[in-house]
Amino acid sequence: TASRRLLIFMLFLTCTLNFADRAVFSALAQTIKADLQLSDLQLGLLQGLVFALLYALAGLPLGWLADRVPRTRIIAVATMIWSAATAATGLAGSFLQLAAARLTVGLGEAGFVPPSASMVSDIVPRHQRASHVALVMLGTPAGTLAGAVLAGIIAAHWGWRTAFLIFAVPGFVV
């Protein structure tokens, strides 16, 4: 049906933004490191543990919450959180500010997969669920590619901070 296709498309688009925002940091890591005079350890923490900490810890409670409150709200709030944190990344002036922004990006992005998988299972017959979840999750490579390529182009013209600010905008729109 049209409503099912629209939902799958919106979930795909949100997944794309989810992974694009992650890819921006990876693509611009060396530029950020040089600008803020970060150590290799600090950069590694920002790309790994700092992001993954809340992402991993928040997944289970957000999955529990997705069984109890409207999932569209969870996804909308989560998208706004990670988008605001993406903007905050572009405004950060120190390791601690970057770490706080990356933790918050991880928290926000953790709010996408549990409710989206649940929504797909609600609207798609059992024998079609895997293919519909795969359509949504095509946003992973699409977002990773778009984030890396566009971040490089934007940063080359307007700087790394502008790239984060620009990437924050679509999440608020969606």
Side-chain angles (χ1 to χ4, degrees), residues 7 10-11 13-15 17-18 21 62 65-66 69-85 104-105 107-116 119 168-174:
L7 178 63
M10 291 303 294
L11 291 173
L13 187 58
T14 306
C15 184
L17 296 175
N18 184 306
D21 286 357
L62 287 167
L65 192 63
V69 300
R71 291 157 301 188
T72 52
R73 286 190 192 145
I74 294 171
I75 293 171
V77 169
T79 303
M80 287 188 284
I81 289 170
W82 90 58
S83 296
T104 309
V105 169
L107 173 66
E109 290 188 357
F112 174 72
V113 173
S116 66
M119 288 173 73
V169 173
F172 291 109
V173 174
V174 169

Side-chain angles (χ1 to χ4, degrees), residues 25 30 33 37-50 95 99:
F25 194 88
Q30 291 303 314
K33 177 186 173 190
Q37 300 176 350
L38 301 175
S39 69
D40 288 337
L41 174 62
Q42 289 173 318
L43 187 63
L45 288 171
L46 291 168
Q47 288 185 284
L49 181 65
V50 172
F95 170 74

Side-chain angles (χ1 to χ4, degrees), residues 1 3-5 7-8 11 63 65-75 113-130 132-133 136:
T1 68
S3 61
R4 181 189 313 167
R5 285 192 296 274
L7 178 63
I8 296 299
L11 291 173
L65 192 63
D67 289 336
R68 288 158 180 79
V69 300
R71 291 157 301 188
T72 52
R73 286 190 192 145
I74 294 171
I75 293 171
V113 173
S116 66
S118 179
M119 288 173 73
V120 170
S121 67
D122 278 353
I123 65 164
V124 176
R126 181 181 298 267
H127 68 280
Q128 294 178 332
R129 285 184 191 154
H132 282 76
V133 168
V136 170

